[in-house]
Amino acid sequence: MRPFYGTQLANGLMLGTAQYPSPSILADAFRRSGAGVATVSLRRESGRERAGQDFWALIRDLGVPVLPNTAGCHSVKEAVTTAHMARELFGTKWIKLEVIGEEDTLQPDVFGLVEAARILAEDGFEVFPYTTEDLVVADRLLQAGCEVLMPWGAPIGSGMGLNNLFGLRAMRAHFPDVPLVIDAGIGLPSQAARAMELGFDAVLLNTAVAKAGDPAAMAEAFAIAIRAGQMAAEADPMEPRDMAVPSTPLIGKAFL
């Protein structure tokens, strides 16, 4: 797995912390999966409210790197301000940058995203941009100072999986040395395994685990699938063929 801004993760599962039935179930999901990163929203922290403090204490106890996000931001100014608040609160340079441009699909505003990424990178942030699989946008994000790209698999929370295999495969081939994370749209462990088989370095998800009937068991299933997909990619899988090829040699076949 490629390192993320010099940090080597324990595994390729980046797990969200929202929508769980209870804090104890959230903690169980992290323990059973061994997730490598916990993503958190600044909106979960509410300053002086006790609930926010308890949540932050829970996240610290997980003992994994924290990736704050700018979820729900719709402008460059809002995203940059939220990033600065998150850095002060969580004490990390990492920021998952979201600048939402379309309400129905929660598709990123890629123009605002590039601008916000440039501002934050110049200010010392290590930016994880939530983007599309567009190669031109990806190149602009790298030029803006990003060292990681996070293309969506499908709209946030949809569980549809990988909508554009061609685009994702092209991104992997176009940026062979850039750490790539599938962010959003994953609903099943098999979809996460497919992402890793394509050569991606990690998968970020939340709803598929938090809204499962048994979130902890689902988190563990995702961790196993991601590891299996990674092992498959490292094992150099065969190329698909259009024609059938016998797997048993013909030498020694009896003549009738």
Side-chain angles (χ1 to χ4, degrees), residues 1-4 7-15 29-38 63-65 94 180-181 196 200-205 219-220 222-228 230 234:
M1 183 191 311
R2 298 166 186 81
F4 297 87
T7 298
Q8 191 70 56
L9 301 184
N11 64 61
L13 175 59
M14 298 183 174
L15 193 55
F30 273 83
R31 276 192 288 269
R32 287 186 59 173
S33 67
V37 166
V64 298
W94 283 12
L180 299 180
V181 182
M196 299 301 286
F200 280 73
D201 298 283
V203 174
L204 191 155
L205 57 95
E220 184 176 357
F222 268 106
I224 294 170
I226 287 171
R227 178 60 184 143
Q230 183 183 26
E234 292 171 352

Side-chain angles (χ1 to χ4, degrees), residues 156-178:
I156 294 173
S158 67
M160 292 191 291
L162 307 178
N163 273 356
N164 185 356
L165 282 175
F166 168 79
L168 295 173
R169 190 181 294 114
M171 176 173 275
R172 179 69 286 172
H174 201 74
F175 303 107
D177 300 322
V178 176

Side-chain angles (χ1 to χ4, degrees), residues 13-36:
L13 175 59
M14 298 183 174
L15 193 55
T17 56
Q19 307 183 74
Y20 288 84
S22 71
S24 63
I25 292 176
L26 184 160
D28 284 345
F30 273 83
R31 276 192 288 269
R32 287 186 59 173
S33 67

Side-chain angles (χ1 to χ4, degrees), residues 2 7 9 23-24 48 50 59 74 91 98 105 113 122 127 162 186 188 200 205 209 215-216 220 239 245 256:
R2 298 166 186 81
T7 298
L9 301 184
S24 63
R48 299 174 181 172
R50 183 64 186 169
I59 298 303
H74 290 73
E98 292 186 22
T105 63
L113 181 69
E122 289 177 354
V127 182
L162 307 178
I186 296 296
L188 291 169
F200 280 73
L205 57 95
V209 167
E220 184 176 357
E239 292 293 331
V245 177
L256 300 178

